[in-house]
């Protein structure tokens, strides 16, 4: 057995009661509630409460919690100015990363050192509430559109769609996005969550933890894969070209975005929900091409490599069908995962220990004298 695990595969880095990812069974649950059950019976607000508080809210608690979230939506004017001034061709994830980091400048709760848990919880709520507003404002600013005042009467999913498009979304669109949020809320020790926990474990502040997480999510091997799926489908272009494209990727060892998972060795339990929503939406729009292409890619990859579609594979078609611009797919993942990051940060700091793994040294074994500069 190797004395180190490349990419920390199989390494248990901490304890968490938040989400249980069962890779061999293909199951996911949050605090003992199966994701299928949560999707059917709870809204994203309830799931966020569950993650942050460790139990499901009753209706009064949910109402108060959502009121608090909604009242925290306004951004400091300096952050709005930054968003307006950001280059219009900037990546929305870069704007989000900088925007969240900047929020910390205007929040006295962004403190280093031993945490005040109540203050930390309040700061967490305010970050979760503001992330969607940064995303929507940047999108409107780059399109030359007016930045709409935040509203307090809309759910998380409805508010994002309203803030992006400037009109009340349909119930179906809100429900779809709400389910997508629930499914992306938390997922064990994924790379961005790990980043968040490593950062706050130094007793740095929560804004630094969330900023680290956003920077980590952006990569195409993690949250960026959902955008990669649409780029791939666009590049393939039509159903008859799918087989040749996939075969070419396999022959040249190129990764197919949205396929494969480090932990799930069977179907990602989130994928069927997203597939169902993608099917319904594309049927409604009368544009089955994307879903047909996706299905064929998934079929070939399962046959040829034994690899399954992951959460990003069908979420791409869902967001696309909702009319969301492709480069906002990963920010939407961040909006949903912010609840998990925040809960994981709170959990880390309730029983903290600095992360400090070792490295397997593979450099020169014998020490050498440093040669003078003019002799090298
Ligand atoms: C998610 C991911 C990074 C997991 O990576 P991992 O656990 O390190 O898996 P590995 O890279 O070791 O893959 C094992 C084998 O499957 C292949 N493989 C894994 N994912 C693949 C993909 N998406 N397309 C093609 N081949 C893939 C690898 O090339 C490797 O093949 P080999 O044994 O012939 O060399 C990887 O599957 C991937 O890059 N997927 C695409 C990006 C994506 O969708 N990310 C979102 C994850 S939720």
């Amino acid at each position: 057995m190797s004395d180190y695990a490349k990419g920390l595969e199989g390494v248990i880095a901490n304890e968490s009661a938040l989400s249980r990812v069962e890779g061999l069974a293909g199951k996911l649950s949050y605090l003992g509630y199966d994701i299928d059950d949560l999707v059917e019976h709870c809204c994203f607000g309830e799931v966020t409460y569950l993650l942050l508080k460790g139990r499901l809210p009753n209706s009064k608690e949910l109402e108060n919690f959502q009121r608090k979230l909604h009242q925290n939506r306004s951004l400091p004017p300096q952050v709005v100015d930054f968003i307006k001034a950001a280059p219009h061709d900037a990546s929305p994830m870069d704007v989000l990363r900088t925007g969240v980091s900047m929020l910390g400048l205007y929040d006295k709760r962004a403190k280093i050192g031993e945490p005040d848990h109540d203050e930390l919880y309040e700061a967490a709520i305010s970050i979760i509430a503001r992330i969607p507003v940064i995303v929507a404002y940047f999108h409107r600013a780059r399109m030359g559109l007016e930045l709409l005042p935040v509203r307090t009467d809309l759910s998380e999913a409805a508010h994002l769609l309203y803030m992006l498009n400037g009109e009340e979304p349909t119930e179906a669109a809100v429900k779809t996005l709400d389910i997508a949020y629930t499914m992306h809320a938390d997922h064990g020790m994924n790379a961005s969550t790990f980043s968040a926990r490593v950062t706050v474990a130094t007793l740095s502040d929560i804004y630094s933890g969330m900023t680290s997480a956003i920077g980590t999510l952006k990569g195409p091997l993690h949250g960026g894969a959902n955008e990669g799926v649409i780029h791939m489908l666009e590049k393939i272009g039509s159903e008859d070209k799918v087989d040749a494209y996939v075969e070419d990727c396999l022959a040249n060892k190129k990764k197919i975005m949205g396929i494969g998972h480090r932990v799930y060795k069977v179907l990602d339990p989130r994928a069927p929900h997203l597939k169902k929503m993608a099917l319904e939406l594309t049927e409604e729009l009368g544009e089955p091409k994307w879903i047909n292409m996706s299905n064929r890619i998934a079929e070939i990859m399962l046959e040829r490599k034994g690899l399954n579609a992951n959460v990003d594979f069908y979420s791409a078609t869902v967001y696309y069908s909702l009319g969301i611009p492709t480069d906002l797919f990963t920010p939407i993942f961040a909006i949903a995962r912010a609840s998990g990051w925040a809960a994981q940060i709170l959990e880390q700091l309730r029983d903290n220990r600095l992360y400090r793994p070792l490295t397997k040294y593979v450099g020169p074994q014998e020490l050498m004298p440093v040669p003078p500069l003019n002799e090298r």
Side-chain angles (χ1 to χ4, degrees):
M1 191 183 130
S2 168
D3 56 355
Y4 95 112
K6 192 170 183 184
L8 298 184
E9 181 166 4
V11 172
I12 297 173
N14 50 40
E15 290 181 319
S16 176
L18 297 172
S19 53
R20 183 177 193 189
V21 183
E22 295 176 82
L24 294 178
K27 294 201 79 64
L28 170 64
S29 52
Y30 301 157
L31 287 128
Y33 299 101
D34 193 283
I35 190 77
D36 296 342
D37 223 6
L38 289 170
V39 160
E40 200 175 327
H41 297 112
C42 296
C43 67
F44 179 64
E46 284 165 276
V47 170
T48 304
Y49 185 102
L50 171 68
L51 290 168
L52 291 177
K53 294 277 208 179
R55 61 177 178 82
L56 285 169
N58 61 33
S59 50
K60 191 78 208 149
E61 287 167 331
L62 179 60
E63 197 188 309
N64 289 338
F65 179 72
Q66 286 188 306
R67 187 174 319 114
K68 196 192 255 285
L69 261 182
H70 300 175
Q71 284 171 348
N72 266 281
R73 284 176 171 157
S74 291
L75 300 181
Q78 298 88 338
V79 177
V80 176
D81 288 344
F82 149 69
I83 293 169
K84 286 183 184 160
H88 288 180
D89 62 352
S91 144
M93 280 301 275
D94 290 345
V95 175
L96 179 60
R97 186 198 57 220
T98 307
V100 168
S101 178
M102 203 173 166
L103 286 176
L105 293 177
Y106 302 100
D107 188 345
K108 298 239 173 315
R109 297 167 299 198
K111 282 190 272 196
I112 55 167
E114 285 303 330
D116 172 329
H117 294 279
D118 293 336
E119 233 179 50
L120 201 61
Y121 171 77
E122 298 294 326
I125 299 267
S126 120
I127 301 172
I128 294 169
R130 288 170 174 179
I131 282 180
V133 181
I134 297 177
V135 173
Y137 272 5
F138 174 61
H139 178 61
R140 288 186 72 87
R142 70 180 175 173
M143 302 294 287
L145 298 168
E146 176 205 356
L147 306 191
L148 302 167
V150 298
R151 284 174 53 174
T152 55
D153 59 334
L154 296 173
S155 71
E156 309 319 303
H159 194 245
L160 179 77
L161 293 170
Y162 166 74
M163 293 295 280
L164 284 174
N165 303 321
E167 53 191 48
E168 299 274 337
T170 64
E171 242 178 73
V174 172
K175 177 85 187 142
T176 303
L177 189 59
D178 190 86
I179 292 177
Y181 278 0
T182 290
M183 276 183 295
H184 285 84
D186 197 46
H187 205 241
M189 214 30 53
N190 61 87
S192 55
T193 299
F194 186 52
S195 287
R197 287 186 78 131
V198 169
T199 302
V200 298
T202 66
L203 298 186
S204 178
D205 68 292
I206 184 170
Y207 287 89
S208 301
M210 297 296 267
T211 305
S212 298
I214 294 168
T216 307
L217 185 74
K218 180 183 145 183
L221 296 188
H222 190 10
N226 54 17
E227 295 179 28
V229 172
I230 289 295
H231 294 312
M232 174 179 74
L233 294 177
E234 282 170 345
K235 194 167 163 198
I236 299 173
S238 59
E239 287 173 54
D240 58 317
K241 298 203 176 101
V242 168
D243 288 48
Y245 178 88
V246 176
E247 288 306 333
D248 179 64
C249 288
L250 289 176
N252 293 298
K253 289 214 163 271
K254 279 191 259 163
K255 291 270 174 76
I256 305 272
M257 290 294 111
I259 299 286
H261 199 275
R262 173 64 63 79
V263 182
Y264 292 122
K265 297 306 166 205
V266 292
L267 186 64
D268 182 330
R270 301 165 295 179
H273 291 283
L274 288 154
K275 182 175 174 178
K276 183 167 165 271
M277 295 195 295
L279 267 170
E280 286 165 5
L281 284 166
T282 48
E283 253 168 41
E284 230 170 76
L285 292 173
E287 204 187 341
K289 181 174 116 177
W290 301 105
I291 192 74
N292 291 346
M293 284 165 74
S294 303
N295 283 339
R296 180 65 191 142
I297 293 169
E299 195 176 76
I300 306 176
M301 288 305 284
L302 187 59
E303 260 172 42
R304 298 274 275 106
K305 296 288 290 184
L307 295 171
N308 282 287
N310 60 47
V311 69
D312 293 310
F313 195 63
Y314 292 105
S315 65
T317 306
V318 168
Y319 300 150
Y320 182 85
S321 308
L322 286 176
I324 294 170
T326 311
D327 64 357
L328 297 189
F329 292 4
T330 314
I332 286 177
F333 190 160
I335 290 171
R337 185 57 58 83
S339 59
W341 291 331
Q344 296 262 358
I345 286 172
L346 302 186
E347 187 182 54
Q348 175 68 38
L349 291 173
R350 281 197 295 271
D351 183 20
N352 191 44
R353 188 150 197 245
L354 178 76
Y355 289 89
R356 196 350 182 147
L358 299 176
T359 192
K360 179 178 178 180
Y361 176 70
V362 293
Q365 292 298 324
E366 299 298 329
L367 291 180
M368 299 171 276
V370 177
L373 192 55
N374 60 1
E375 287 176 22
R376 286 179 227 157

